[in-house]
Amino acid sequence: HPDLVWDPGKWLAGADTSSVPHGTTVLAFKYADGVIVAGDRLATSGMRVAAREMQKVYPTDSHSLIAIAGAAGPAIEMSRLMRNELEHYVKIDGEGLELDGKANTLSQMIRQNMPAAMQGLMVVPLFAGYDLRREQGRMWNFDVTGGRYEEAVFEATGSGGLYAHESLKKSHRPDASRSEALAMAVQALTDAADQDRATGGVDALRGIYPLVFQCTQSGIEQATDAEIKGVYEGLVAGSNTQSGNGSPAS
């Protein structure tokens, strides 16, 4: 009875992964001083809210970040392993990897997750940072096989990634200041949340705001909730002025 032999692939093939918490929308884009990386806070399990304050953007070292989308558990673990891997490299070699090397490291981790991805536990992150040698911000997206693709201007992924991408297509300016870049990030996530039910956007009632990080030559800085709140209220006010009614920003 060869059918009784333990085969993880066979057993997992019939598993229902719809109840696994998933992170949704993350984005990254270049601006005047480097790169902005942002993500909403909502995680879903099928049609149910799994978490309202999930962290989807993680610094991996002093000048790089990973933004996760896909199965939450493997994605969070991958971001932690990435950070540990880069720290270990510095301790062994005495200096850190260049940004290209960091992107390659993440690509290998995604490739190693391929068996799980084939069972529905996919991880599709964005990776971005400031290249100290080239003195510019850079970013990559990945596919489930570990393929990496450097993006020249902006990128978004996750269930609301298409809508965030379309928003950035209209608003993005590579020479934008920090305040303008924050507005572009918040607007893109707000637009995604307006069209995609799995994207959290701004939850003003609970005081939950998207995570927005900037990475420049001087390092990584996270925008405060107060900053995000101010930007969001400004977008809503501007939308109301243009439309002449009380409808929310979209």
Side-chain angles (χ1 to χ4, degrees):
H1 295 279
D3 56 302
L4 297 180
V5 176
W6 170 248
D7 180 353
K10 178 184 68 179
W11 286 88
L12 287 172
D16 179 11
T17 60
S18 63
S19 61
V20 175
H22 281 69
T24 46
T25 308
V26 292
L27 59 86
F29 61 84
K30 296 181 182 180
Y31 77 112
D33 297 327
V35 291
I36 290 283
V37 184
D40 78 307
R41 307 295 299 278
L42 190 67
T44 58
S45 295
M47 301 298 291
R48 185 177 66 84
V49 172
R52 298 186 187 276
E53 298 186 64
M54 179 181 170
Q55 182 175 350
K56 302 178 187 178
V57 183
Y58 295 86
T60 49
D61 65 6
S62 61
H63 286 85
S64 64
L65 303 114
I66 181 173
I68 58 174
I76 294 171
E77 183 64 19
M78 189 176 294
S79 66
R80 291 172 177 168
L81 288 173
M82 178 72 172
R83 184 167 59 244
N84 291 340
E85 185 76 15
L86 297 184
E87 289 178 357
H88 179 72
Y89 186 90
V90 172
K91 292 176 181 178
I92 297 299
D93 201 61
E95 60 181 9
L97 281 168
E98 291 197 7
L99 204 58
D100 277 295
K102 298 172 188 177
N104 270 334
T105 299
L106 181 56
S107 178
Q108 293 167 10
M109 290 183 178
I110 297 170
R111 192 173 300 115
Q112 291 168 0
N113 188 61
M114 188 66 180
M118 295 296 290
Q119 311 304 326
L121 301 177
M122 293 182 290
V123 178
V124 280
L126 297 177
F127 181 73
Y130 191 87
D131 192 320
L132 294 171
R133 183 172 61 84
R134 297 190 185 186
E135 297 185 347
Q136 63 176 359
R138 300 173 67 190
M139 60 193 167
W140 289 264
N141 68 14
F142 302 83
D143 61 33
V144 295
T145 67
R148 68 184 185 96
Y149 314 95
E150 185 167 3
E151 298 296 330
V153 186
F154 57 82
E155 187 53 79
T157 190
S159 64
L162 172 64
Y163 308 110
H165 192 279
E166 290 302 305
S167 178
L168 288 171
K169 186 183 291 186
K170 295 179 181 179
S171 65
H172 181 263
R173 291 192 2 256
D175 61 344
S177 65
R178 179 181 182 276
S179 60
E180 292 170 332
L182 287 178
M184 289 189 292
V186 175
Q187 181 68 73
L189 290 173
T190 301
D191 288 343
D194 190 52
Q195 296 294 325
D196 175 49
R197 294 299 87 189
T199 301
V202 172
D203 188 340
L205 180 64
R206 296 180 175 87
I208 301 173
Y209 299 93
L211 294 177
V212 183
F213 289 80
Q214 66 185 68
C215 185
T216 66
Q217 188 172 24
S218 59
I220 294 171
E221 180 183 346
Q222 181 180 354
T224 65
D225 284 349
E227 285 183 287
I228 302 301
K229 179 181 179 181
V231 169
Y232 178 72
E233 290 175 346
L235 292 174
V236 172
S239 177
N240 290 344
T241 300
Q242 292 176 12
S243 63
N245 59 43
S247 60
S250 63

